[in-house]
């Protein structure tokens, strides 16, 4: 099988390659093509990728190229991991919203909208080129904001599934706390990308025993500490929210924290420079420990499992993915992209039935889903008024004064990426 990675020069890529090497029995990979316009980064990452595979005796060939059309030709699956504008754009997304008293974050709120506006047109262009070169290829989107980008791809008729590492991170954490194999843990994972709750944790599959109450009783302090939320909040929810919910549940606290320290993008940029130096060492033939601090834990395993299932090579039959709602959450339109457990196979992803969510979750999901619809409209059609409408709809903004000021700043900081600005 041939798999192409668009954004293959990312410092994330060795994590992905390590997963291919370790899970060779899950996904029989014959060729891996790393595609990136940044030739200098690509050379470093590609060299390390070859050494990682060689060390573990994996026979796959690694090709590096800046030619998108040639790189995706004949691919069975194409993984998208882009960052339009790089860490410099991310740093802006994390700072200018703070000037208006709003959370500055790269995937949610005003910063997340800016990223969507930069990213969606680029991804849609790439996807059209993939369709011409390899019309049966699956597109696996790891590019944030995953929910909005995946919806853009699906609306344009592409064979696409969105992927995030939040769920597999919880699965691995819960398995460790419970002393069971990760594959034994089935999550009742509910919501939208970066707006999810674990409302059940079942052992052995969808019909297994729900051990979430036990987890909260025995390990609530550790879970709350990892999420940076008070233990009493988890007890009142009776669920485990993703760490992105802290931006909603403790908005003002996060804003004050963010104003008192350097943006995360600056830390990541420095980390990336160090990682690229390490990747250039010809003696390095495994992913360095520093990469774990970069983020994206376990995403390689999630990507391998998803690709294997979509390509009929095996993989877990149930996986948390981003795909069309199709009636799963009846209070949302069918074409909303939700993040839930799904049965995944060569025909795509089919969401599993979920219990009706508590209004505490449903209300916030519905509001953010409405924002995402407006955000995608702004990304595809452009215009300041559409940007304003999306910002006004977002629960982390929600006031016209904020929305007007944020619109001005968003456009000013992203003019080079917005053809209509």
């Amino acid at each position: 099988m041939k798999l192409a990675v668009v954004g293959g020069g990312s410092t994330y890529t060795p994590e992905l390659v390590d997963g291919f090497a370790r899970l060779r029995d899950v996904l029989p990979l014959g060729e891996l093509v790393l595609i990136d316009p940044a030739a200098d980064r690509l050379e470093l990452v590609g060299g390390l990728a070859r050494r990682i595979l060689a060390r573990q005796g994996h026979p796959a060939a690694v090709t590096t190229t800046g030619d998108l059309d040639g790189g995706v030709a004949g691919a069975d699956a194409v993984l998208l991991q882009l960052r339009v504008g790089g860490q410099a754009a991310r740093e802006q997304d994390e700072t200018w919203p703070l000037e208006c008293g709003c959370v500055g974050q790269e995937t949610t709120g005003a910063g997340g909208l800016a990223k969507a506006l930069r990213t969606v047109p680029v991804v849609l262009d790439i996807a059209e080129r993939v369709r011409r070169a390899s019309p049966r290829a699956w597109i696996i989107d790891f590019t944030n904001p995953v929910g909005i980008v995946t919806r853009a791809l699906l609306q344009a008729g592409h064979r696409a599934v969105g992927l995030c590492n939040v769920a597999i991170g919880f699965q691995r954490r819960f398995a460790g706390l419970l002393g069971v194999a990760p594959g034994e843990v089935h999550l009742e994972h509910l919501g939208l990308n970066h707006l999810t709750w674990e409302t059940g944790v079942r052992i052995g599959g969808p019909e297994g025993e729900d051990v979430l109450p036990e987890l909260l009783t025995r390990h609530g302090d550790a879970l709350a500490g990892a999420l940076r939320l008070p233990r009493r909040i988890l007890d009142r929810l009776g669920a485990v929210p993703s760490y992105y919910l802290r931006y909603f549940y403790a908005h003002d606290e996060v804003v004050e924290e963010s104003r008192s320290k350097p943006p995360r993008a600056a830390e990541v940029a420095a980390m990336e420079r160090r990682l690229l130096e390490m990747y250039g060492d010809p003696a390095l033939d495994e992913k360095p420990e520093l990469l774990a601090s970069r983020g994206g834990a376990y995403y390689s395993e999630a990507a391998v499992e998803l690709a294997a299932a979509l390509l009929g090579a095996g993989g877990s039959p149930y996986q948390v993915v981003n795909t069309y709602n199709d009636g799963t959450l009846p209070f949302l339109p069918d074409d909303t992209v939700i993040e839930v457990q799904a049965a995944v196979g060569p025909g795509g992803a089919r969401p599993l039935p979920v219990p009706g969510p508590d209004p505490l979750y449903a209300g916030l999901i519905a509001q953010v889903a409405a924002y995402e619809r407006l955000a995608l409209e702004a990304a595809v059609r452009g215009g300041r008024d559409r940007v304003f409408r999306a910002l006004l709809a977002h629960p982390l903004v929600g006031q016209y004064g904020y929305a007007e000021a944020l619109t001005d700043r968003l456009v000013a900081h992203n003019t080079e990426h917005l053809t209509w600005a």
Side-chain angles (χ1 to χ4, degrees), residues 182-414:
E184 289 295 301
V185 177
H186 180 90
L187 302 177
E188 291 184 352
H189 182 95
L190 172 73
L192 311 174
N193 179 244
H194 289 185
L195 192 85
T196 52
W197 297 261
E198 310 307 326
T199 59
V201 179
R202 299 189 179 273
I203 301 300
E207 305 303 322
E209 177 189 3
D210 182 9
V211 297
L212 179 58
E214 175 190 348
L215 273 170
L216 290 173
T217 298
R218 294 175 54 195
H219 305 289
D221 288 341
L223 293 171
L227 297 170
R228 301 185 65 197
L229 289 171
R231 163 71 184 269
R232 66 180 184 278
I233 300 302
L234 270 63
D235 290 337
R236 287 175 174 175
L237 292 174
V240 180
S242 86
Y243 46 86
Y244 288 94
L245 264 298
R246 186 167 183 264
Y247 297 116
F248 296 82
Y249 292 161
H251 175 277
D252 294 353
E253 182 179 336
V254 171
V255 168
E256 289 306 309
E257 287 177 0
S258 301
R259 285 172 165 167
S260 64
K261 63 182 182 181
R264 169 67 174 164
E267 298 176 17
V268 172
M271 196 179 304
E272 286 196 336
R273 289 191 293 271
R274 176 60 183 141
L275 284 169
L276 290 171
E277 291 175 1
M278 298 172 73
Y279 294 173
D281 180 357
L284 182 67
D285 58 2
E286 59 184 343
K287 64 176 184 180
E289 291 185 10
L290 179 61
L291 186 54
S293 301
R294 172 68 180 81
Y298 306 114
Y299 111 89
S300 63
E301 297 173 28
V304 169
E305 291 282 352
L306 179 54
L310 292 172
L311 298 176
S316 173
Y318 302 120
Q319 300 181 40
V320 173
V321 297
N322 286 259
T323 191
Y324 272 151
N325 178 42
D326 282 339
T328 307
L329 299 178
F331 58 91
L332 295 178
D334 286 349
D335 64 351
T336 302
V337 166
I338 61 174
E339 186 173 290
V340 292
Q341 283 278 5
V344 183
R350 177 177 52 82
L352 300 182
V354 299
D358 187 296
L360 180 63
Y361 313 136
L364 187 53
I365 291 170
Q367 188 174 1
V368 176
Y371 151 76
E372 290 192 348
R373 181 178 296 271
L374 294 169
L376 181 54
E377 183 179 356
V380 172
R381 300 178 64 190
R384 296 177 67 94
D385 285 348
R386 294 189 181 94
V387 173
F388 170 80
R389 283 165 53 81
L391 288 168
L392 189 61
H394 202 294
L396 296 183
V397 180
Q399 298 184 51
Y400 72 82
Y402 288 165
E404 289 174 338
L406 289 166
T407 298
D408 291 342
R409 286 164 171 78
L410 187 155
V411 173
H413 283 284
N414 290 276

Side-chain angles (χ1 to χ4, degrees), residues 68-122:
L68 174 68
D69 301 295
V72 301
D76 297 289
V78 178
L79 193 149
L80 306 182
Q81 51 175 36
L82 312 178
R83 185 179 292 281
V84 179
Q87 294 297 333
R90 174 181 176 173
E91 184 166 350
Q92 292 179 353
D93 295 344
E94 293 176 343
T95 53
W96 53 262
L98 296 174
E99 298 170 6
C100 300
C102 296
V103 161
Q105 211 277 330
E106 63 160 339
T107 65
T108 192
L113 177 60
K115 186 167 190 176
L117 297 180
R118 293 192 303 268
T119 304
V120 166
V122 175

